[in-house]
Each structure stands twice: as structure tokens, then as C-alpha cells.
């Protein structure tokens, strides 16, 4: 019975069986009990002496051991009604020279309570696994469609139509545009309209990852590639994006050493992990984006010309917000809907004066800046209409500056040229501007210092210190 276990003392065998399986029964081909341990007998309310050499069905209620001993079909995690309860049992046939000679059975859980306790532990792990799986799948899905790209400006519309037209291609796309113009939204929309839409969309910012980590992030690494490397290695973004789309944001900030390695991957369509020896085939569509002038960087020797041509198969130039100001009301409306969900608010609108004020600004931060302005306004908003008083100070002062400029233009230009400008030290100029801003905030807040500090988006302590510094009572 214990062939191959000659080195283990015979009197250990029984103890080993009891330790490995608390309740166990062994029957022969006819279902006669050859062995049953004390733990099982105690559970059944009998003794080993009374159970041994008897038909298993006479000892164990609702058993199927004698059936398994005949059919040779194993039964795993089977529900077994017994003693007005239910237990979970495993039944295995015992084979000898290809024939069924008996069966062995074990009890996994004596009561439904034991099973529920085990299930609760496992269910927790399953739910946790499901959460991280869903999160990972969500992170690898593109979130925006072309209908999310809002604007009636003719240049913007032409760019959007071209992007839709080339979505079905596998060619590389280069998105050019200032920071905050929505380059990543275009990348998402292109992927979502392509044949790769159901496959991974992986975004990586080349400027935000330290140079010494960028290679392992893009190409992965093998086990033991460097100190602190994860056991078993790690897939790079190219492998994760296989058959899908890889969005390389801020490609203009990629170090030259990495540019040559990226070019090789694009040419060979295969990656080699850091510390690895084998090449791994990848099929990835590249969408790259930058706010920098790549052609100028190529001339300066800061960007590889061959990589530029490899990426610049299809170029899309996204116009900045200052060149499509007619779209500001539409974009603001869309952003407010998004922010309403974030703040659990409804029906927030812009006053006519605020719309005019937003149209006067040049928006160096583009749509990202506009979203920040609207979010800041909602933070200090009590009602449902955003007024000028809710805007950041630099936007509230636009009208004053515009009036001053228009007045200056209407004055005698010749006289202005002849009169030298009065220049004050920068420190003094900044101090005067800060003092004026505090006085304006106090005026708007009717002297309420806490409200004024909120309007200026600074802490209460800092506000009081500045009031003391500028002798503001």
C-alpha cells in the first residue's frame, strides 16, 4: 500500500493520513470499507471497529463511494447530505494495471458553516481580483470618442475630420499642439474609431518618467535584470499594448539614447527586455504627441531625423484655444457638465458677463486652464450662476486692463512715444500688484477676510500675514 515509502516508519503512516486529510475512507472494488480513520468515525457517530469490513453504504449515509469504485469516475467537491446537514466530499478511483480496484474519499467540509466560512474567505479574494482586473481593463481602454471633441471652429473641424478619416489606418500619427489643447483626447478618439478599439490603449508620458527608468518602462525587464527588479520580470508598455495602440505623450522630451532604441522597435516590430536575450514580437500602432517644434529639434540635433519621419506619417495640428475663441462657450458648457458630476451639483450656468470675460482671455493653458478656472469657480459658488466675482483675480481684472489699453490707444501716440516709460523695480511692482489684489478681494467680500482669502485662493494665515505686511486694516 505504501510502495516507495519504505523509509518512513509504518506507525507514522496512519498519523500522516490523518494530518493530510482529517476524514478519509478507502473501499475496495465491491464497496467494502478497507480503511476509515477515527476522525471520520467520530463525525459519523461510530467506531473504526464497527465500520471496518462493512459495505460503505451501511456506514455512510447517502454515500457514492461504491459507485465510484465501479465506474472509475472521480467526483470533486460533491455535495453530500448527511446527519441532517450537508458536507463537501471528494471521491477518487484507485487504479491498478489500468483497472479500477477501489476508491478513496475525503471530507473537505463537515458542515455548511465550514463551507460558508471558506467561501467567504475565497469570495473576498475573488472580489479583490475582480476589482483589480476591472481597474486594469478600464485603464487600458480609451475613454473618449470623437463626439467628445467639441468645437465649431473651421480649423478645429478640419483637424477632427482628418483624424476620423485616418482612424482606420495602422500608420503612425503625430499630434502637434500647445499644452492643454486636447492631444490625448484625440489619441483616445482615434483608437476608439480604429479596428483596434477593443484592444489595449496604453498611454505613457515620456517627460514624466526619469531617463534611467524609461527603457524598462517601455520595453520591460527580465528576472534579475537589476537590483530591485521584480521577481519573474515585468512586461513593458509595448508588450501590454500588443495588438492595440501606444500613445507616447511629450515625445519631444524623450532622451536621444532612448530615441534610437524606440526607432529600432518601430522598424523591427519587436522588443527586447532589459537584461533579456530573446526578442518579443509586438504589433502596436503608435500615436505620438508633443507641444515642441520637432523640426527645430531635428535641426539642433536634439531629435533623431529618422525617428521624426517614422512618427510623422500623419500629422495633426490641433489649434490652441486663443485661435478658436468662438468655441469657448460650447467647451465651457461641456466642462460644466463634467464638473457637476464631480461636485454632485446640477444646473450650473455662466453669466453673460463671465462668458464675455472668458472670451477676452488668451488662454495660455488652453482647455486645461479653462477647466481649472471653472472648477475653482464652482468651489466658491453658492448658487447656480457663475458670476465675475467667482472667477480668479487675473480674469476679473481683464476688463480693467482692456479699458486702460483702449484709453492709452486713443491718447496722443506721438506724445506717448516721446515720454519715457517709468519703470519701477520688479519687487516693488509685484508688491503693489499684490496689495491691490488684496484690497479688491476685500472690497468684493465686503470686508470679510476669510471670504477674501478664499477668492484669492490662499490660506487664511497667509492672507492675514500679507494684510499686516501691507498695513491693510
Amino acid at each position: 500500500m505504501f510502495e516507495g515509502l519504505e523509509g518512513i516508519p509504518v506507525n507514522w503512516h496512519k498519523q500522516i493520513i490523518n494530518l493530510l486529510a482529517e476524514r478519509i475512507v478507502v473501499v475496495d472494488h465491491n464497496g467494502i470499507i478497507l480503511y476509515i480513520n477515527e476522525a471520520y468515525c467520530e463525525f459519523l457517530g461510530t467506531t473504526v471497529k464497527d465500520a471496518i469490513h462493512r459495505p460503505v453504504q451501511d456506514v455512510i449515509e447517502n454515500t457514492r463511494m461504491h459507485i465510484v469504485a465501479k465506474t472509475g469516475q472521480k467526483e470533486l467537491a460533491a455535495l453530500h447530505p448527511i446527519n441532517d446537514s450537508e458536507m463537501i466530499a471528494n471521491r477518487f478511483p484507485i487504479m491498478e494495471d489500468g483497472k479500477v480496484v477501489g476508491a478513496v474519499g475525503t471530507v473537505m467540509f463537515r458542515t455548511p458553516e465550514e463551507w460558508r466560512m471558506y467561501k467567504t474567505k475565497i469570495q473576498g479574494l475573488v472580489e479583490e481580483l475582480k476589482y483589480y482586473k476591472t481597474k486594469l481593463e478600464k485603464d487600458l481602454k480609451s475613454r473618449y470618442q470623437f463626439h467628445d471633441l467639441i468645437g465649431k471652429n473651421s480649423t478645429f473641424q478640419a483637424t477632427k475630420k482628418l483624424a476620423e478619416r485616418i482612424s482606420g489606418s495602422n500608420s503612425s500619427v503625430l499630434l502637434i499642439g500647445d499644452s492643454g489643447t486636447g492631444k490625448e483626447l484625440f489619441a483616445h478618439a482615434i483608437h476608439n474609431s480604429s479596428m483596434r478599439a477593443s484592444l489595449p490603449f496604453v498611454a505613457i508620458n515620456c517627460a514624466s518618467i526619469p531617463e534611467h527608468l524609461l527603457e524598462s518602462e517601455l520595453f520591460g525587464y527580465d528576472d534579475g535584470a537589476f537590483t530591485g527588479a521584480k521577481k519573474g520580470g515585468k512586461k513593458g508598455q509595448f508588450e501590454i499594448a500588443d495588438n492595440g495602440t501606444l500613445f507616447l505623450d511629450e515625445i519631444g522630451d524623450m532622451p536621444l539614447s532612448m530615441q534610437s532604441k524606440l526607432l529600432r522597435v518601430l522598424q523591427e516590430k519587436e522588443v527586447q527586455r532589459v537584461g533579456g536575450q530573446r526578442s518579443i514580437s509586438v504589433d502596436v500602432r503608435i500615436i505620438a504627441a508633443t507641444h515642441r517644434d520637432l523640426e527645430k529639434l531635428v535641426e539642433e540635433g536634439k531629435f533623431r531625423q529618422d525617428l521624426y519621419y517614422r512618427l510623422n506619417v500623419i500629422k495633426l495640428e490641433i489649434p490652441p484655444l486663443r485661435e478658436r475663441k468662438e468655441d469657448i462657450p460650447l467647451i465651457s458648457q461641456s466642462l460644466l457638465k463634467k464638473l457637476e458630476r464631480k461636485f454632485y451639483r446640477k444646473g450650473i450656468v455662466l453669466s453673460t458677463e463671465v462668458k464675455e470675460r472668458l472670451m477676452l482671455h488668451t488662454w495660455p493653458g488652453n482647455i486645461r486652464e479653462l477647466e481649472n478656472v471653472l472648477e475653482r469657480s464652482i468651489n466658491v459658488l453658492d448658487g447656480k450662476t457663475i458670476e465675475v466675482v467667482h472667477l480668479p483675480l487675473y480674469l476679473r481684472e481683464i476688463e480693467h486692463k482692456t479699458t486702460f489699453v483702449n484709453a492709452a490707444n486713443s491718447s496722443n501716440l506721438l506724445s506717448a512715444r516721446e515720454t519715457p516709460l517709468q519703470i519701477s523695480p520688479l519687487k516693488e511692482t509685484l508688491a503693489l500688484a499684490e496689495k491691490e489684489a488684496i484690497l479688491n478681494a476685500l472690497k468684493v467680500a465686503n470686508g470679510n477676510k476669510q471670504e477674501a482669502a478664499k477668492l484669492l485662493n490662499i490660506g487664511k494665515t497667509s492672507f492675514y500675514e500679507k494684510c499686516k505686511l501691507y498695513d491693510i486694516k
Side-chain angles (χ1 to χ4, degrees):
M1 183 177 176
F2 296 101
E3 185 180 348
L5 300 178
E6 296 87 351
I8 299 175
V10 175
N11 60 339
W12 287 19
H13 293 168
K14 186 177 177 180
Q15 194 177 158
I16 289 168
I17 290 172
N18 285 331
L19 289 170
L20 290 176
E22 279 189 49
R23 294 155 198 89
I24 185 168
V25 61
V26 181
V27 301
D28 66 11
H29 182 63
N30 296 312
I32 304 298
I33 296 176
L34 300 179
Y35 173 83
I36 186 168
N37 67 350
E38 289 178 9
Y40 206 162
C41 288
E42 186 182 336
F43 173 60
L44 295 170
T46 185
T47 63
V48 174
K49 185 179 178 181
D50 290 338
I52 206 81
H53 303 313
R54 289 176 62 192
V56 69
Q57 57 268 40
D58 292 349
V59 177
I60 304 174
E61 182 185 353
N62 297 315
T63 186
R64 289 178 53 84
M65 288 295 295
H66 56 300
I67 297 172
V68 173
K70 291 286 186 185
T71 63
Q73 298 295 316
K74 66 181 175 182
E75 297 179 357
L76 300 178
L79 202 63
H80 185 158
I82 191 168
N83 292 351
D84 298 321
S85 184
E86 289 175 331
M87 64 182 187
I88 309 297
N90 286 329
R91 306 180 185 105
F92 303 92
I94 297 173
M95 312 295 290
E96 198 171 271
D97 298 326
K99 292 182 180 180
V100 183
V101 294
V104 58
T106 63
V107 175
M108 292 172 63
F109 305 103
R110 292 171 296 176
T111 64
E113 287 72 27
E114 279 191 11
W115 163 241
R116 278 193 286 271
M117 191 182 298
Y118 178 78
K119 186 180 177 183
T120 301
K121 289 180 181 178
I122 295 299
Q123 193 62 33
L125 294 173
V126 169
E127 290 298 325
E128 189 175 353
L129 181 63
K130 185 179 177 182
Y131 167 78
Y132 285 114
K133 183 182 177 186
T134 304
K135 187 176 185 297
L136 178 62
E137 287 174 349
K138 186 180 178 182
D139 289 343
L140 296 179
K141 293 284 184 184
S142 51
R143 298 186 296 276
Y144 304 102
Q145 310 273 358
F146 277 111
H147 62 72
D148 294 311
L149 304 176
I150 297 166
K152 293 182 178 179
N153 173 270
S154 57
T155 306
F156 179 80
Q157 280 290 326
T159 303
K160 183 176 172 179
K161 283 178 183 176
L162 177 58
E164 288 181 86
R165 195 177 307 135
I166 57 90
S167 291
S169 164
N170 280 319
S171 299
S172 297
V173 179
L174 182 60
L175 300 170
I176 305 291
D178 292 353
S179 292
T181 50
K183 297 187 289 296
E184 186 166 349
L185 268 69
F186 266 87
H188 278 265
I190 291 168
H191 173 79
N192 252 332
S193 295
S194 72
M195 298 294 288
R196 301 171 182 257
S198 61
L199 296 160
F201 174 88
V202 178
I204 184 168
N205 190 310
C206 301
S208 65
I209 300 172
E211 184 176 346
H212 67 284
L213 295 177
L214 190 55
E215 183 177 4
S216 61
E217 186 68 25
L218 281 174
F219 309 137
Y221 57 79
D222 270 354
D223 192 359
F226 48 83
T227 304
K230 183 180 176 183
K231 188 173 177 60
K234 179 187 172 185
K235 282 185 177 182
Q237 300 300 325
F238 266 94
E239 285 184 73
I240 294 171
D242 192 25
N243 295 313
T245 303
L246 181 61
F247 175 55
L248 297 173
D249 200 8
E250 301 299 352
I251 191 73
D253 294 288
M254 180 177 279
L256 270 171
S257 59
M258 276 303 301
Q259 291 177 27
S260 58
K261 292 174 182 177
L262 174 61
L263 180 64
R264 179 191 169 277
V265 174
L266 299 183
Q267 289 173 336
E268 306 297 330
K269 296 187 184 298
E270 58 183 31
V271 296
Q272 189 169 305
R273 292 183 181 182
V274 176
Q277 301 300 317
R278 66 187 183 95
S279 294
I280 303 166
S281 296
V282 288
D283 174 17
V284 174
R285 184 187 193 180
I286 298 292
I287 300 178
T290 184
H291 69 282
R292 304 184 68 179
D293 186 343
L294 288 188
E295 290 181 5
K296 186 178 179 182
L297 291 178
V298 169
E299 289 175 9
E300 294 172 352
K302 295 177 181 176
F303 199 87
R304 291 184 63 107
Q305 187 176 50
D306 42 9
L307 177 60
Y308 172 67
Y309 289 130
R310 176 69 64 172
L311 297 172
N312 191 28
V313 178
I314 301 165
K315 186 184 342 187
L316 297 174
E317 296 191 41
I318 304 169
L321 197 53
R322 63 181 175 275
E323 293 178 11
R324 44 186 290 236
K325 287 191 175 182
E326 67 270 34
D327 290 338
I328 289 175
L330 273 175
I331 295 170
S332 297
Q333 187 178 351
S334 174
L335 291 173
L336 283 175
K337 293 294 179 189
K338 173 184 171 183
L339 291 167
E340 280 178 349
R341 291 192 294 272
K342 180 178 178 179
F343 286 90
Y344 303 101
R345 305 277 291 272
K346 280 187 177 181
I348 298 175
V349 295
L350 302 177
S351 70
T352 304
E353 192 176 2
V354 165
K355 288 178 184 176
E356 291 172 355
R357 200 64 60 94
L358 296 181
M359 298 279 277
L360 289 171
H361 187 48
T362 54
W363 299 106
N366 293 288
I367 298 169
R368 189 178 293 121
E369 181 188 358
L370 176 58
E371 183 173 0
N372 288 344
V373 164
L374 294 175
E375 182 172 348
R376 187 262 181 204
S377 300
I378 292 174
N379 268 296
V380 296
L381 178 65
D382 291 324
K384 292 190 174 182
T385 303
I386 296 176
E387 303 286 356
V388 173
V389 68
H390 301 122
L391 295 176
L393 187 63
Y394 72 93
L395 287 175
R396 297 206 301 271
E397 292 182 337
I398 284 179
E399 189 175 51
H400 171 73
K401 289 177 182 176
T402 306
T403 304
F404 177 80
V405 169
N406 289 338
N409 288 340
S410 61
S411 65
N412 191 312
L413 294 177
L414 181 61
S415 174
R417 285 194 202 102
E418 290 171 352
T419 305
L421 291 171
Q422 297 297 315
I423 303 297
S424 300
L426 181 60
K427 189 174 180 180
E428 185 180 325
T429 304
L430 289 172
L432 286 170
E434 193 168 56
K435 182 177 180 179
E436 185 182 354
I438 292 170
L439 289 169
N440 286 338
L442 285 167
K443 186 178 180 182
V444 170
N446 294 319
N448 187 319
K449 289 188 176 182
Q450 287 192 20
E451 184 62 29
K454 281 184 183 178
L455 292 173
L456 293 172
N457 202 21
I458 62 173
K460 186 173 66 174
T461 303
S462 178
F463 183 85
Y464 281 113
E465 286 175 353
K466 290 181 185 297
C467 286
K468 186 177 179 181
L469 176 66
Y470 299 126
D471 197 25
I472 298 173
K473 305 298 183 186

